[in-house]
Amino acid sequence: MTSVDSLQAALNYQFVDKTLLDQALTHRSHSAHHNERLEFLGDSVLNFVVAALLFKRFPKIDEGDLSRLRANLVKQSSLADIATRLCLSQYLRLGEGELKSGGFRRPSILADALEAVLGAVFLDGGFDAAQKVIAGQYESILVHVDPKTLGKDPKTLLQELLQARKFDLPAYTVIATHGAAHNQLFEVECQIPKLEIKVSAPGSSRRAAEQSAAELAIAAIHALAPAKGSRPARARKSTQLSLPVAVSQENK
Amino acid sequence: MTSVDSLQAALNYQFVDKTLLDQALTHRSHSAHHNERLEFLGDSVLNFVVAALLFKRFPKIDEGDLSRLRANLVKQSSLADIATRLCLSQYLRLGEGELKSGGFRRPSILADALEAVLGAVFLDGGFDAAQKVIAGQYESILVHVDPKTLGKDPKTLLQELLQARKFDLPAYTVIATHGAAHNQLFEVECQIPKLEIKVSAPGSSRRAAEQSAAELAIAAIHALAPAKGSRPARARKSTQLSLPVAVSQENK
């Protein structure tokens, strides 16, 4: 385990009581004095501070959008990304079993430990300290948040994209199913006649295949008419990387 | 609408910017400047402050129990109770339709408005003010929280009660079903042979009937051996109020 000094520097917070930080970095597989109570506390201070940051940053969006944005910013993979940036895995105390199975790389363990560290900051330095640390970690993330799209699923995004252009909704059709009852693979086609787009994608459920097909359709639309600021070459490349995609050369 | 002065007194908080309190009391049916964004903010400050209060008050219980307690303390009916104590319905601004249909009594509207008021306190006075108001409202509630039982369902409580006495688990049996496929009524029997308890209860699902039967079984156990401090007469009365209950006279 590396000294926690560099972690404190990355958090921009110095603990008065360093045993709190040690506990926050201790997984239950390591010892009984583990981080799960701190994680409970950290999860709630994090949810609140991110809510307050979003409330202030986006004064016009409604509470449904605020909830969606927050859910996306505090979901496990987002927290694991922050934990990775902080090199949190270097400081974790894991039991033998978790160490051997690579637990220090597991997103759930990283996300939980990050929450526990935030809970420890709150206990050690009070609310203002926790708020400052959380705001510091989310500063660079919030700059890139697009409240219209972040956290929306591809089908919703595609629908909104088409509605904005006054086009009809896309049509999804199951064109094939493979495999036995409990292990089926669905292939779904997404058609947008107005744009002569017809793409298909596989998925382990009809719903999943529809979402993947919608993602390809969005890529196809961007390839036809690249969004401002994005390079056409890049958009086209991403379309070609995807599976069976038929895109007409002309936009009607 | 009554003047908000008495509400501020009940909250033990004076707003600097009273328009925030007005907005918090405005339902979306009344006007566009409604309380839903404040509700989002208030929900998260409430969740955090209650988490911190529980963390401090119960230093030995694990995070699963902390979560269960918090879920119970911030659920809609708990918030509606606090809102009722604050006479919040007197101050609500509702649209015509909601007014006529008695919206000022609806638990969801009361709970949401309470959260919005807490969000308004946070915006107006900062975190410390919100924490003080929330702690003030929960003070008398927290005194009565039993971390072993609050928020647990009857089947879990019954199981724990029996395990503590080293008795076998209760046996649940569906003894009758009535009605057509989508509108069935189940009758479930709960047996505890060691205590010669056999009770049965109806429910719209097997699960619901089991929970009701477990509740009757707990009442029956308390009737056999009243908990310290509770009066036997009262326990017996509650058992007799319930449906088909067969309780032996003696505790083996």
Side-chain angles (χ1 to χ4, degrees):
Chain A
M1 210 179 71
T2 321
S3 146
V4 294
D5 288 350
S6 45
L7 176 58
Q8 294 188 96
L11 290 168
N12 194 18
Y13 180 75
Q14 292 293 318
F15 276 83
V16 177
D17 177 1
K18 285 211 180 59
T19 64
L20 280 170
L21 179 55
D22 290 342
Q23 188 183 350
L25 295 166
T26 305
H27 188 254
R28 68 174 301 134
S29 62
H30 183 278
S31 65
H33 201 57
H34 58 68
N35 64 7
E36 293 188 356
R37 274 174 55 94
L38 287 173
E39 178 202 333
F40 168 77
L41 197 59
D43 170 82
S44 43
V45 70
L46 173 68
N47 268 278
F48 167 48
V49 171
V50 171
L53 289 170
L54 289 169
F55 186 95
K56 200 174 161 192
R57 186 172 176 87
F58 300 109
K60 302 285 180 194
I61 70 176
D62 72 22
E63 61 296 339
D65 288 339
L66 289 169
S67 290
R68 170 173 50 82
L69 295 183
R70 181 177 57 176
N72 196 276
L73 293 174
V74 303
K75 71 181 180 190
Q76 191 182 86
S77 62
S78 304
L79 298 185
D81 287 347
I82 296 176
T84 303
R85 200 174 61 199
L86 291 167
C87 304
L88 213 62
S89 62
Q90 289 179 28
Y91 311 98
L92 290 182
R93 304 162 178 228
L94 300 173
E96 279 299 320
E98 286 293 352
L99 265 180
K100 281 180 186 158
S101 65
F104 50 87
R105 279 191 307 265
R106 198 174 311 150
S108 63
I109 289 183
L110 288 171
D112 292 351
L114 175 62
E115 290 183 334
V117 166
L118 299 174
V121 171
F122 167 68
L123 279 189
D124 190 67
F127 177 72
D128 289 345
Q131 185 178 37
K132 210 176 135 210
V133 167
I134 294 167
Q137 293 305 314
Y138 275 92
E139 207 167 34
S140 59
I141 298 169
L142 282 170
V143 175
H144 298 289
V145 165
D146 179 351
K148 287 204 189 93
T149 59
L150 183 72
K152 282 186 183 167
D153 63 86
K155 280 183 73 176
T156 305
L157 285 174
L158 177 60
Q159 182 178 328
E160 291 178 355
L161 204 60
L162 296 175
Q163 279 171 339
R165 300 172 186 207
K166 312 241 187 256
F167 287 175
D168 288 340
L169 294 184
Y172 297 93
T173 325
V174 176
I175 52 172
T177 56
H178 313 277
H182 283 289
N183 191 22
Q184 273 191 308
L185 196 71
F186 295 80
E187 198 161 346
V188 165
E189 185 178 82
C190 174
Q191 276 201 57
I192 308 165
K194 257 296 199 346
L195 296 175
E196 287 184 20
I197 285 176
K198 195 190 274 188
V199 294
S200 68
S204 59
S205 70
R206 185 187 169 138
R207 208 187 122 75
E210 286 179 357
Q211 295 290 1
S212 299
E215 213 167 339
L216 292 182
I218 292 171
I221 291 174
H222 287 158
L224 286 172
K228 272 182 195 166
S230 80
R231 293 170 300 151
R234 195 168 156 259
R236 192 158 300 138
K237 191 180 164 197
S238 86
T239 309
Q240 285 170 352
L241 277 172
S242 323
L243 280 184
V245 185
V247 184
S248 76
Q249 298 309 102
E250 282 181 316
N251 186 349
K252 278 194 178 178
Chain B
M1 212 181 67
T2 321
S3 146
V4 292
D5 289 349
S6 45
L7 177 57
Q8 294 189 94
L11 290 168
N12 195 20
Y13 180 76
Q14 292 293 318
F15 276 82
V16 177
D17 177 2
K18 285 211 179 58
T19 65
L20 279 170
L21 179 55
D22 291 343
Q23 188 183 349
L25 295 166
T26 305
H27 188 254
R28 68 174 301 135
S29 62
H30 183 277
S31 65
H33 201 57
H34 57 67
N35 63 8
E36 292 188 357
R37 273 174 56 93
L38 287 173
E39 178 203 332
F40 168 78
L41 196 60
D43 171 81
S44 43
V45 70
L46 173 68
N47 268 278
F48 168 48
V49 171
V50 170
L53 290 170
L54 289 169
F55 187 95
K56 199 173 161 193
R57 187 173 175 86
F58 300 109
K60 302 284 181 195
I61 70 177
D62 71 24
E63 60 296 340
D65 288 338
L66 289 169
S67 290
R68 169 173 51 81
L69 294 183
R70 180 176 59 176
N72 196 276
L73 292 174
V74 303
K75 69 181 180 189
Q76 190 182 87
S77 62
S78 304
L79 297 185
D81 287 347
I82 295 175
T84 303
R85 200 175 60 198
L86 291 167
C87 303
L88 213 61
S89 62
Q90 289 179 29
Y91 311 98
L92 289 181
R93 304 160 177 232
L94 300 172
E96 280 298 322
E98 285 292 351
L99 265 180
K100 280 180 185 158
S101 66
F104 50 86
R105 279 192 307 264
R106 199 175 311 150
S108 62
I109 289 183
L110 288 171
D112 293 351
L114 175 62
E115 290 183 333
V117 167
L118 298 175
V121 171
F122 167 67
L123 279 188
D124 190 68
F127 176 72
D128 289 345
Q131 184 178 37
K132 210 176 135 208
V133 168
I134 295 167
Q137 293 305 314
Y138 275 92
E139 206 168 35
S140 60
I141 298 169
L142 283 170
V143 175
H144 298 290
V145 165
D146 178 351
K148 288 206 189 90
T149 60
L150 182 72
K152 282 187 185 166
D153 64 85
K155 278 183 74 177
T156 305
L157 285 174
L158 177 59
Q159 183 179 326
E160 292 178 354
L161 204 61
L162 295 175
Q163 279 171 339
R165 300 174 186 204
K166 313 241 187 255
F167 287 175
D168 287 339
L169 295 181
Y172 297 93
T173 324
V174 177
I175 52 174
T177 57
H178 313 278
H182 284 288
N183 192 21
Q184 273 192 308
L185 196 71
F186 294 80
E187 199 162 345
V188 165
E189 186 178 82
C190 174
Q191 274 201 56
I192 308 165
K194 255 307 204 332
L195 296 174
E196 287 183 22
I197 286 176
K198 196 189 274 187
V199 294
S200 69
S204 59
S205 70
R206 184 185 170 141
R207 209 188 120 76
E210 285 178 357
Q211 295 290 2
S212 299
E215 213 167 339
L216 292 183
I218 291 170
I221 291 174
H222 287 159
L224 287 172
K228 272 180 195 167
S230 79
R231 292 170 302 151
R234 196 168 155 259
R236 192 158 300 137
K237 191 178 164 197
S238 84
T239 310
Q240 285 170 356
L241 277 172
S242 326
L243 280 183
V245 185
V247 184
S248 76
Q249 297 310 103
E250 280 182 314
N251 187 347
K252 275 193 179 179

